[in-house]
């Protein structure tokens, strides 16, 4: 807060937006939790002795505890006169309302997970990813990580370039989605290394030989969307600094490989090279391309470049068994489906933007306005 004399005070005024330090702290905790979740997945993959009380679970729930503490302190620092401390703690700055809800869901799911383990035991394999309590953990984490992104959009709606905290938060959400869907991860699939034999359609042999290929194709489609959708969300409203896409895709590839104890780091190197190429192309395009074309271009280029690089690496290291039609088709259909999904999302987003234009114009400059996404400042302003 700045006084009339231009002096800085230690505490922000009631209803003030989050500070850069608060955004950075929440983004850092998001990364912490994501790494802990992937370490938990690695422990399952290595079949380490598991229980609710392990060091990787302690790391995970320690990050949750820190995130809740940060959110509560963010509300308390904006404590208004005659406002109860409980109300203040439950009223975070704009953009952090969903984060607080996500933290509560995450915590409740953690308690439920402990009870689930005590009743049904420790899950293994794909069961661990589809456990109801784990699905709630994933969903709660995604909401928890959303704070810096939504806060940046609320505080600086006219900014032209994203800063580090919201980009880290978006990458954390994507990484959590990638982990939840890791049974369909193109970063770790070995489907292209499996021969698809030619058996008559309708036979058991035909189904048996094509099933791994179908799963591999699904992996490319799903992982493409995990990468493209958050990038498209970011690019539709602002630019990304050079290197952001490289860091984004490489981090997600590294986390996916980490779950399998870093068994294929050459895939991460291939993704790194592809990311650099995408960043260079985006930089060359510069301001001559509209945001819509830039977003659609990324939706097509990211799967095209990354999966091409990955398949080249697999061919050089182990030799691909897929036919040229299947290999090239998997790359192209991933790029086409990603572009189509982003195009639909862009169209529906534009429709919503036009529908709510009058509402936004009427409320854009109201400092104390809020909604379930942007926090609880309106509660304070009405008192």
């Amino acid at each position: 807060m700045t006084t009339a004399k231009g002096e800085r005070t230690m505490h922000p005024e009631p209803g003030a937006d989050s500070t850069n330090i608060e955004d950075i702290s929440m983004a850092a905790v998001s990364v912490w939790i994501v790494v802990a979740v992937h370490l938990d997945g690695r422990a399952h993959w290595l079949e380490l002795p598991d229980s609710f009380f392990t060091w990787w679970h302690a790391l995970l729930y320690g990050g949750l505890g820190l995130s809740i503490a940060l959110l509560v302190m963010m509300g308390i620092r904006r404590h208004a006169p005659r406002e109860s401390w409980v109300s203040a703690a439950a009223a975070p700055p704009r953009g952090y309302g969903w984060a607080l809800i996500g933290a509560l869901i995450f915590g409740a799911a953690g308690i439920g997970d402990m009870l689930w383990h005590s009743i049904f035991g420790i899950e293994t394999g794909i069961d661990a990813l589809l456990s109801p309590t784990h699905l709630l953990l994933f969903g709660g984490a995604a909401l928890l990580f959303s704070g810096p992104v939504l806060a940046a959009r609320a505080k600086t709606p006219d900014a032209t370039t994203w800063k580090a905290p919201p980009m880290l938060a978006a990458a954390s959400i994507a990484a959590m989605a990638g982990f939840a869907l890791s049974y369909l991860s193109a970063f770790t699939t070995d489907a292209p290394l499996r021969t698809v034999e030619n058996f008559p359609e309708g036979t058991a042999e035909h189904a048996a030989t094509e099933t791994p290929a179908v799963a591999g194709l699904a992996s490319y489609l799903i992982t493409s969307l995990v990468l493209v959708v958050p990038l498209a969300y970011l690019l539709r409203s602002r630019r990304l600094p050079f290197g952001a896409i490289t860091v984004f895709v490489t981090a997600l590839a590294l986390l996916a490989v980490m779950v399998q104890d870093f068994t294929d780091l050459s895939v991460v190197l291939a993704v790194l090279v592809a990311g650099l190429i995408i960043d260079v192309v985006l930089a060359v395009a510069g301001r001559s391309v509209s945001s819509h074309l830039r977003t659609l271009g990324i939706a097509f280029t990211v799967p095209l470049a990354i999966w091409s690089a990955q398949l080249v690496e697999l061919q050089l290291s182990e030799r691909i068994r897929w036919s040229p039609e299947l290999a090239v088709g998997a790359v192209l259909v991933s790029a086409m489906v990603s572009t189509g999904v982003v195009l639909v999302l862009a169209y529906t987003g534009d429709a919503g933007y036009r529908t709510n234009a009058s509402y936004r114009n009427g409320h854009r400059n109201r400092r104390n306005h809020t909604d379930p996404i942007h926090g609880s400042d309106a509660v304070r302003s009405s008192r």
Side-chain angles (χ1 to χ4, degrees):
M1 175 182 175
T2 304
T3 64
K5 296 181 179 180
E7 299 174 347
R8 301 287 296 178
T9 64
M10 293 298 294
H11 301 285
E13 62 184 9
D17 290 325
S18 58
T19 64
N20 289 333
I21 294 298
E22 289 171 335
D23 292 336
I24 291 171
S25 299
M26 286 300 299
V29 173
S30 299
V31 174
W32 171 348
I33 293 174
V34 163
V35 172
V37 166
H38 283 77
L39 287 173
D40 187 17
R42 175 179 173 272
H44 280 275
W45 192 83
L46 293 175
E47 297 183 346
L48 299 179
D50 198 9
S51 72
F52 188 82
F53 302 99
T54 59
W55 68 265
W56 48 88
H57 283 150
L59 189 65
L60 172 61
Y61 291 109
L64 170 64
L66 181 56
S67 67
I68 293 176
L70 285 171
L71 288 168
V72 169
M73 288 304 301
M74 288 164 69
I76 290 177
R77 291 182 69 232
R78 292 157 179 81
H79 180 259
R82 293 179 294 180
E83 181 181 23
S84 71
W85 292 105
V86 174
S87 297
R94 290 194 302 168
Y96 282 93
W98 282 117
L100 183 59
I101 293 173
L104 297 176
I105 294 174
F106 199 132
I111 297 173
D113 193 43
M114 181 175 63
L115 296 175
W116 186 278
H117 287 173
S118 65
I119 297 172
F120 300 105
I122 305 297
E123 309 92 344
T124 59
I126 196 172
D127 290 353
L129 293 170
L130 296 177
S131 166
T133 53
H134 287 175
L135 293 176
L136 286 174
L137 285 171
F138 301 149
L143 292 176
L144 172 62
F145 301 161
S146 68
V149 180
L150 298 178
R153 297 199 64 168
K155 291 188 296 183
T156 56
D158 298 322
T160 58
T161 304
W162 288 101
K163 294 183 178 180
M167 289 191 296
L168 286 174
S172 297
I173 294 173
M176 189 61 70
F179 180 84
L181 297 167
S182 57
Y183 48 88
L184 287 175
S185 174
F187 294 125
T188 57
T189 183
D190 64 349
L193 305 178
R194 296 171 177 258
T195 302
V196 181
E197 302 288 352
N198 187 17
F199 291 104
E201 292 192 24
T203 63
E205 293 83 1
H206 176 82
T209 194
E210 278 204 348
T211 296
V214 171
L217 179 58
S219 297
Y220 285 108
L221 291 171
I222 293 298
T223 309
S224 295
L225 293 176
V226 169
L227 294 172
V228 163
V229 170
L231 287 175
Y233 174 85
L234 293 175
L235 282 168
R236 269 181 53 76
S237 58
R238 306 180 190 187
R239 296 180 180 275
L240 293 172
F242 182 81
I245 293 178
T246 301
V247 173
F248 184 94
V249 298
T250 305
L252 264 64
L254 181 61
L255 288 169
V257 171
M258 182 177 75
V259 172
Q260 297 190 0
D261 202 28
F262 304 102
T263 53
D264 198 357
L265 285 174
S266 56
V267 169
V268 180
L269 180 60
V271 172
L272 172 65
V273 173
L276 285 171
I277 294 173
I278 297 169
D279 269 317
V280 169
V281 171
L282 190 63
V284 170
R287 300 182 181 276
S288 61
V289 179
S290 67
S291 62
H292 286 283
L293 288 178
R294 185 168 60 246
T295 302
L296 292 176
I298 287 298
F300 188 85
T301 305
V302 166
L304 182 69
I306 289 177
W307 306 139
S308 296
Q310 184 224 30
L311 290 174
V312 167
E313 184 278 326
L314 290 177
Q315 176 66 19
L316 294 176
S317 62
E318 302 184 60
R319 196 172 75 81
I320 294 175
R321 268 75 172 182
W322 274 2
S323 65
E325 294 82 1
L326 184 53
V328 176
V331 174
L332 287 178
V333 75
S334 298
M336 293 168 67
V337 169
S338 297
T339 305
V341 169
V342 169
L343 184 61
V344 171
L345 292 176
Y347 177 80
T348 55
D350 287 344
Y353 185 93
R354 289 190 295 269
T355 300
N356 295 304
S358 60
Y359 177 84
R360 284 193 311 276
N361 290 337
H363 292 79
R364 191 172 188 178
N365 295 320
R366 287 181 57 184
R367 186 180 187 89
N368 290 324
H369 171 67
T370 191
D371 56 34
I373 293 179
H374 292 146
S376 305
D377 298 334
V379 175
R380 292 189 173 120
S381 64
S382 64
R383 293 176 179 170

